[in-house]
Each structure stands twice: as structure tokens, then as C-alpha cells.
Amino acid sequence: AKREGKNSVRAFQPLMGIEAAERVSTERDLRLALTQRHLVLHYQSQFDAQSGRLTGFEALVRWQHPTHGLLYPGKFIEIAEDSGLIVPMGEWVLNEACRQAAVWGANGQGFTVSVNVSALQFMDPVFLLKVQAALDSSGLKPECLILELTESVLLENRERALKQLTHLRDIGVRLALDDFGTGYSSLGLLQHLQGDILKIDSSFVRGGQIDVAGPGRALIEFLISLAHSLGMCVIAEGVETEEQYQALRSLDCDRIQGFLLGRPEPAELIEKRLNMVEPR
Ligand code: C2E
Ligand code: CA
Ligand code: CA
Ligand code: CA
């Protein structure tokens, strides 16, 4: 007998709100974008705070939408996370960033590429294999890859997350705690990140009550010395002014990332920049 289940259910579905409908169409478009290679990576340079030397890049995903133009992660990452698409998308980002960094000579010149990893990806049991595969197929040395995780990722399923950190360290990649100081902020988490990287969130660096050039200076100074005493390297992000740069430098911050020194740029522009940098 013919089953009429699916179609009849659809007919009785209430009209979706505009927002929900938009999400569904964005999700469908995003699925296509993944297969049609409409995603691109832009790279933001990071510099040694003292010498000004280039130390690496953070890979940031963008969506070259056929009709809406270049879309930033704020427009689609959440939808990618909610739909699970972040897993294949993140895998693409990981592979592409490793490939690109290897082509740029990261191994020989010793610079790093940083990749953002979201919770769903990180907790995926095959994530370790994917990281290893990205390194193997690109030839990138593990120490040239930095995985950026947020505090919330590590707090959600603490036991498993800490185990995962250990496995990743065994592979030899480096880890960065992203957006530190926003949301969950657990100082206790830092003890598990010895030798890794702390990224001080841009909200500490600019504006608000915690501006590096204002009273927030003491807080940043504390964070930096705490991180250093744990053997961590500190990157300040969102550095937009010379004043912030100088303040961070005097507070012994290790690395600087921000519009002052460079916006996220397409690979072609980074390539030009690299050609001008003397290999060490
Ligand atoms: P994030 O990891 O904190 O990345 C830094 C964001 O700050 C980037 O925004 C960058 O363009 C912006 N930024 C850098 N310097 C400055 C500055 O001096 N001033 C200001 N106002 N902004 C600055 P973007 O590229 O829009 O990315 C937003 C967020 O999307 C990222 O925040 C990250 O959480 C997420 N994201 C980006 N790419 C990926 C990805 O491949 N995978 C995952 N899971 N998330 C990603
Ligand atoms: Ca990041
Ligand atoms: Ca960040
Ligand atoms: Ca952020």
C-alpha cells in the first residue's frame, strides 16, 4: 500500500517565521557552498610585540556568496554550528590552512597558522585523525599548526576535553585559548594549558572599562604575568591603535594581532607580504 506519511505531514506544517525560513535557506546555501568551493580563507598576520617580526597567521573563513557577496562568519558560523555543517566546514578550513601554510614555507621559516575549532568539531571522536590527516597531506610540521579553542569548549565536557588536549599535544600541534576573558572565564582552566597560548580578547584591549591604556591595564598586566608564570605565550588581539600596541609591549605581551598591523587578507595579498619578508 502506498504510504502518504511524509507529504501529508508537510501539508499541515504551520508557516515558518521569516527568520526560521531564512535560516533554512542559509543552511541549504551553505551546504552548496561547501561542495561548490565558495568558502575562502582570509589570513590575519600576527607579530612579535618586541621585534615586530611576523610570527604567523590566523585563518578566518569567509563565504563568497554568489548573490550576497563576501559574507563574514558572523553571518553563518552560528547556523553552521546549529546544523552540524561546522564539522565538514571546519575540516575544509583545517586542510586548506595547513596546505596554504606549507606552500608558503611555514616549515622552513618557522611561522605558524592558527585555525579556529568549534566545540562540535573538537569533541568529534575522529577530530584527532583529521588533524593528523591534514598535517600528513600538507606536509606541515605539527609545531606550525595552532588550534584555537574557546573557554566554553573546554568547560562543556571538561574530562573529555582535557583528554583531547593531551592527545593533540601528543601529535605535536599547539593550542591557543581564544577570546580569553569573555564569558565563562575560568582561571583554573589555565593550569591545563601549560606551554600553550593565551589570546587576550579584544574587549580587554579596546574600549569599555578594561582598556589597556586605562584602568584595565592592571588586569592585563596580571593576566600576562600569570600566563607567563605558567609558561604560556600571550597574544593580544584587536589591537587597533599605536597606544594600545605600546602599552601591551611595555606589559611584556608576546604577540600582537589587530587592524593596526594588518587586517585579514586574501591569500594573494599575504603572498606579496611574505615575498617582502626576509627569511630568517
Ligand atoms: P575570532 O577567532 O576571535 O577572530 C578574530 C576576529 O576579530 C576576526 O573576525 C577578525 O577579523 C577580527 N579582528 C581582528 N583584528 C581586529 C581589530 O583590530 N579590530 C576589530 N574590530 N576586529 C578585529 P571575523 O573574521 O569576522 O571572525 C569572527 C569569528 O568567527 C572569529 O572570532 C571566530 O570565532 C569565528 N571564525 C572565523 N573563522 C572560523 C573558522 O574557520 N572556524 C570556526 N569555527 N570559527 C571561525
Ligand atoms: Ca580565533
Ligand atoms: Ca578571538
Ligand atoms: Ca572573538
Side-chain angles (χ1 to χ4, degrees):
K2 187 173 172 263
R3 291 217 273 143
E4 36 176 76
K6 272 186 187 162
N7 288 336
S8 56
V9 168
R10 190 166 296 158
F12 286 106
Q13 247 174 21
L15 282 174
M16 285 188 285
I18 290 176
E19 206 180 300
E22 234 177 60
R23 285 180 78 92
V24 170
S25 80
T26 304
E27 189 183 320
R28 190 196 53 217
D29 286 2
L30 197 52
R31 217 174 278 279
L32 275 175
L34 258 169
T35 55
Q36 299 177 345
R37 309 198 148 268
H38 287 167
L39 297 179
V40 289
L41 294 182
H42 283 189
Y43 297 87
Q44 187 175 29
S45 307
Q46 300 167 325
F47 300 88
D48 183 282
Q50 303 304 327
S51 68
R53 182 178 56 84
L54 183 91
T55 58
F57 306 97
E58 178 173 2
L60 296 155
V61 69
R62 273 93 181 90
W63 177 2
Q64 192 63 64
H65 194 285
T67 51
H68 300 149
L70 192 70
L71 301 182
Y72 287 77
K75 286 257 193 279
F76 61 91
I77 283 285
E78 202 189 310
I79 291 172
E81 282 174 342
D82 293 348
S83 61
L85 280 173
I86 194 74
V87 174
M89 180 190 288
E91 188 179 355
W92 176 81
V93 170
L94 181 66
N95 280 294
E96 176 60 13
C98 289
R99 184 198 65 79
Q100 186 66 83
V103 167
W104 283 340
N107 288 345
Q109 295 181 54
F111 60 77
T112 58
V113 67
S114 301
V115 170
N116 292 284
V117 177
S118 65
L120 210 55
Q121 233 187 318
F122 180 70
M123 286 307 194
D124 187 345
V126 296
F127 181 62
L128 293 166
L129 292 175
K130 287 179 176 172
V131 171
Q132 191 60 63
L135 293 170
D136 290 345
S137 68
S138 64
L140 187 72
K141 284 185 188 166
E143 61 265 35
C144 293
L145 176 62
I146 298 175
L147 299 176
E148 297 201 355
L149 311 163
T150 56
E151 297 161 272
S152 54
V153 172
L154 301 179
L155 291 172
E156 252 164 47
N157 189 340
R158 207 183 169 102
E159 283 294 292
R160 244 188 87 201
L162 294 180
K163 225 176 243 167
Q164 192 82 317
L165 287 185
T166 310
H167 291 318
L168 285 166
R169 259 193 218 103
D170 290 343
I171 292 179
V173 301
R174 294 152 77 192
L175 304 163
L177 191 53
D178 203 358
D179 300 345
F180 192 79
T182 61
Y184 299 81
S185 276
S186 158
L187 284 178
L189 204 55
L190 292 182
Q191 66 186 308
H192 301 289
L193 289 156
Q194 285 200 22
D196 293 324
I197 297 156
L198 185 72
K199 291 193 86 171
I200 297 184
D201 191 67
S202 54
S203 60
F204 279 83
V205 177
R206 81 183 111 88
Q209 315 100 311
I210 37 180
D211 191 318
V212 73
R217 202 184 152 92
L219 196 53
I220 294 199
E221 186 168 17
F222 163 73
L223 275 181
I224 292 175
S225 69
L226 178 68
H228 282 169
S229 67
L230 291 168
M232 300 179 81
C233 165
V234 181
I235 303 183
E237 53 180 359
V239 178
E240 292 182 346
T241 68
E242 189 63 36
E243 190 191 15
Q244 292 163 349
Y245 181 14
Q246 292 312 329
L248 286 159
R249 202 153 97 131
S250 70
L251 294 177
D252 211 18
C253 182
D254 303 290
R255 294 179 193 171
I256 302 288
Q257 179 182 351
F259 290 173
L260 174 71
L261 300 175
R263 289 181 176 258
E265 297 167 317
E268 307 85 70
L269 288 181
I270 297 289
E271 228 146 81
K272 285 196 186 129
R273 199 189 272 276
L274 280 170
N275 288 334
M276 296 184 305
V277 176
E278 293 284 315
R280 279 177 300 138

